[in-house]
Amino acid sequence: GGPMSHLRGALMQPDEVRTTLETCEFFKGLDGGQLAGIIPICRPCRFEAGETIYHQGGVGAEIFIIADGPVMLERAVSVGPRKGTVPVAVLGKGKIIGGWSTLLNEPHTLMLSAVCRRPAVLLAINGAELRQRMTVDILLGFRLLEKLCLLLRDRVQATLGAMDNI
């Protein structure tokens, strides 16, 4: 491979994974023991500029934490005969995206597409595996669901704001 080939596998050291979790909006404030249980289920992945992380309408089995790089969330809309995409938000480091309802043991249909404007590194976490840890450690589960409610409130407000701009 060329000089960029090492970028295909987004290799993060365990301490980088830990730092990403500690500073992320979703896992911030958890104690060391709780984080230690989550680190092994985090899978670093890299996307190039222009790549789509997931498509609206797909099934989201994972949640993603943005470790680096802006990610654009957009929604496909059709107004009469016109079809297009509406940008909903551009999210950066520490934000969480993807199939959150897997944490509720429900299949998740993705409501938005996530596209990389520039190269990005994300941590993918299988929702079912995280839920399993949340059901074993109820305090962890409560904390994460509390964060999820706050996140969803913010996202709904952002989405409604984007819809006002159509």
Side-chain angles (χ1 to χ4, degrees):
M4 300 291 280
S5 62
H6 69 286
L7 296 178
R8 276 317 301 176
L11 299 165
M12 294 172 74
Q13 301 304 316
D15 58 326
E16 290 178 285
V17 172
R18 173 181 287 273
T19 302
T20 300
L21 292 179
E22 283 171 343
T23 54
C24 146
E25 59 179 349
F26 195 53
F27 294 106
K28 197 182 283 178
L30 297 184
D31 66 41
Q34 290 169 325
L35 286 173
I38 295 167
I39 290 169
I41 62 170
C42 294
R43 183 174 59 82
C45 45
R46 185 176 189 94
F47 295 88
E48 298 306 327
E51 271 191 276
T52 297
I53 300 166
Y54 55 78
H55 291 275
Q56 178 178 330
V59 177
E62 295 174 309
I63 59 172
F64 294 90
I65 300 162
I66 303 172
D68 187 38
V71 174
M72 169 129 135
L73 296 180
E74 53 186 37
R75 183 158 172 88
V77 291
S78 46
V79 182
R82 292 189 309 143
K83 290 193 175 353
T85 57
V86 177
V88 172
V90 176
L91 300 178
K93 191 173 179 145
K95 297 293 186 187
I96 179 176
I97 58 174
W100 53 266
S101 63
T102 54
L103 301 182
L104 308 176
N105 209 23
E106 301 246 320
H108 188 93
T109 302
L110 295 160
M111 290 181 267
L112 302 168
S113 296
V115 182
C116 297
R117 288 265 185 79
R118 298 205 294 275
V121 177
L122 293 89
L123 283 183
I125 303 176
N126 180 283
E129 290 186 47
L130 182 55
R131 179 186 166 82
Q132 193 268 327
R133 282 158 171 72
M134 291 163 64
T135 54
V136 170
D137 179 347
I138 296 297
L139 182 58
L140 172 69
F142 177 80
R143 281 192 169 163
L144 292 182
L145 287 181
E146 197 172 44
K147 295 255 176 109
L148 188 60
C149 290
L150 295 169
L151 272 171
L152 293 177
R153 180 196 64 189
D154 293 347
R155 292 295 158 79
V156 167
Q157 286 172 344
T159 306
L160 291 175
M163 291 299 143
D164 288 344
N165 295 330
I166 293 177

